[in-house]
């Protein structure tokens, strides 16, 4: 059975799968990155994990995977196949595509984790059928993936979609990026957790606790939540003014609040648009499997491109 290796590398853990030609997840596995041992150890773990997946495919299906796709965080030079920088993994300028291709003996595609997850959401998840979409996961920070006709735009320098660093509150809270008032300092899951912990007087309180308190009608929670929703709506309206997406897909931990988030968010965005067309605002469908599924799509795209090249006269 022809299949590909899909690997999604996070800050502390990795998720992987063998994916069939029909998109089915044939085998799943998880492994720690080993980042506490340094960046070289992380690279070694990735290579070993991928090699183990290749060996499993040979044993189970009688042949090695035809290609591999890997999604990594940080700054990614997809054209050169280089993991340029990731603060949480400590690496710089790692030629990951070449290292994996040499270890596995197969073609490898390298992608940015959020853009790769967005690719999956756009093709087989909440954005299926939309020719233009914007995928925005609300987690520790806020990123974005701009979907155009079945692909995701990386930008001229690999920074396309960084919606979390749109300034929504000029002169506001400092951001590690060097600016003040960035969207992710107000509307990420970590920002809501920080604001609610302060408002509740409980350092252990987090965004999920805030959402529960909102659902029960706690006025302090409603105030904290609405502040985040308003900031998010400001950032999203800026993005949709520039990009005019047909579908706006919201994912990440904060989206797990469901309609506690989506009902006020749709209202806030609707109030802010004037001439713009209001996109459908929907929750992500693939959860934490999006990155892995997207990595599989990268690998299959690589094979499809090779197949087309081989038959071209």
């Amino acid at each position: 059975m022809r299949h590909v290796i899909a690997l999604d590398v996070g800050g502390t853990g990795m998720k992987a799968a063998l994916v069939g030609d029909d998109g089915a997840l044939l085998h799943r596995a998880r492994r720690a990155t080993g980042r506490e041992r340094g960046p070289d150890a992380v690279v070694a773990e990735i290579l070993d994990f991928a090699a183990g997946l290749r060996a499993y495919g040979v044993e189970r299906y009688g042949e090695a995977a035809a290609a591999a796709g890997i999604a990594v965080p940080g700054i990614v030079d997809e054209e050169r196949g280089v993991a340029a920088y990731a603060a949480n993994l400590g690496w710089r300028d790692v030629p990951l595509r070449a290292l994996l291709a040499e270890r596995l003996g197969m073609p490898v595609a390298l992608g940015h984790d959020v853009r790769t997850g967005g690719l999956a959401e756009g093709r087989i998840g909440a954005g299926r059928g939309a020719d233009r979409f914007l995928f925005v996961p609300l987690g520790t920070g806020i990123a974005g993936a701009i979907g155009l006709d079945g692909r995701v735009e990386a930008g001229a320098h690999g920074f396309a979609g960084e919606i979390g660093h749109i300034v929504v509150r000029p002169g506001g809270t400092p951001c590690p990026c060097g600016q003040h008032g960035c969207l992710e300092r107000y509307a990420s899951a970590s920002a809501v957790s920080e604001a609610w912990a302060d408002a509740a007087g409980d350092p252990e309180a987090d965004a999920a606790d805030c959402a529960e308190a909102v659902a029960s009608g706690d006025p302090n929670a409603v105030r904290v939540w609405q502040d985040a929703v308003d900031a998010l709506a400001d950032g999203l309206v800026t993005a949709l003014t520039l990009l005019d997406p047909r579908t706006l897909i919201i994912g990440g931990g904060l989206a797990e609040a469901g309609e506690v988030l989506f009902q006020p968010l749709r209202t806030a965005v609707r109030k802010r648009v004037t001439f713009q067309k209001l996109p459908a605002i929907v929750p992500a469908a693939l959860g934490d499997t999006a990155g892995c599924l997207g990595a599989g799509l990268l690998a299959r795209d690589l094979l499809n491109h090779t197949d087309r090249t081989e038959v071209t006269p």
Side-chain angles (χ1 to χ4, degrees):
M1 179 183 293
R2 192 167 87 154
H3 61 279
V4 298
I5 294 170
L7 186 57
D8 179 21
V9 178
T12 58
M14 298 182 280
K15 297 183 286 288
L18 298 183
V19 184
D21 266 355
D22 60 354
L25 296 177
L26 306 174
H27 170 70
R28 302 190 202 191
R30 291 177 181 257
R31 187 164 172 172
T33 60
R35 69 173 182 174
E36 68 280 357
R37 302 196 307 275
D40 290 343
V42 174
V43 174
E45 287 288 347
I46 291 170
L47 296 177
D48 287 347
F49 194 23
L53 292 161
R54 181 188 187 281
Y56 179 89
V58 172
E59 179 182 350
R60 179 70 176 80
Y61 301 110
E63 61 180 343
I70 178 170
V72 299
I75 300 170
V76 182
D77 186 334
E78 296 171 5
E79 187 173 336
R80 293 170 52 231
V82 174
Y85 175 70
N88 56 359
L89 295 174
W91 62 31
R92 285 183 180 273
D93 297 322
V94 179
L96 203 50
R97 184 174 67 196
L99 291 172
L100 275 167
E102 181 180 3
R103 180 70 175 269
L104 299 175
M106 65 182 68
V108 175
L110 176 69
H112 179 270
D113 57 352
V114 173
R115 289 195 291 270
T116 302
L119 179 69
E121 283 289 355
R123 283 200 200 166
I124 60 177
R128 178 183 290 187
D131 55 346
R132 300 286 190 277
F133 70 88
L134 178 62
F135 170 56
V136 181
L138 309 173
T140 303
I142 297 178
I146 303 166
L148 304 168
D149 294 325
R151 64 182 182 84
V152 173
E153 174 60 44
H157 308 97
F159 297 129
E162 289 291 347
I163 185 176
H165 297 287
I166 290 176
V167 173
V168 294
R169 301 291 181 265
T173 304
C175 180
C177 79
Q179 296 197 100
H180 289 73
C182 288
L183 175 61
E184 71 175 39
R185 298 300 298 131
Y186 297 90
S188 63
S190 57
V192 174
S193 293
E194 184 179 334
W196 178 234
D198 183 61
D202 178 2
E204 300 301 316
D206 62 14
D209 298 324
C210 186
E212 289 183 10
V214 170
S216 67
D218 184 309
N220 281 334
V222 170
R223 174 183 55 79
V224 168
W225 196 257
Q226 192 62 49
D227 285 347
V229 167
D230 285 340
L232 180 57
D234 288 340
L236 292 177
V237 170
T238 298
L240 69 87
T241 301
L242 291 171
L243 302 172
D244 187 26
R246 199 172 305 279
T247 305
L248 184 53
I249 305 166
I250 308 295
L254 214 59
E256 294 176 6
E259 285 305 301
V260 172
L261 173 67
F262 285 93
Q263 190 278 327
L265 179 60
R266 291 184 183 113
T267 299
V269 171
R270 190 179 301 112
K271 286 179 178 178
R272 285 162 172 75
V273 299
T274 53
F275 66 90
Q276 305 95 329
K277 293 293 185 181
L278 190 67
I281 301 176
V282 301
L286 302 177
D288 70 353
T289 65
C292 202
L293 290 167
L297 290 173
L298 290 179
R300 288 163 62 195
D301 283 353
L302 203 59
L303 290 177
N304 289 338
H305 175 74
T306 301
D307 290 346
R308 288 195 300 270
T309 301
E310 288 176 351
V311 299
T312 300

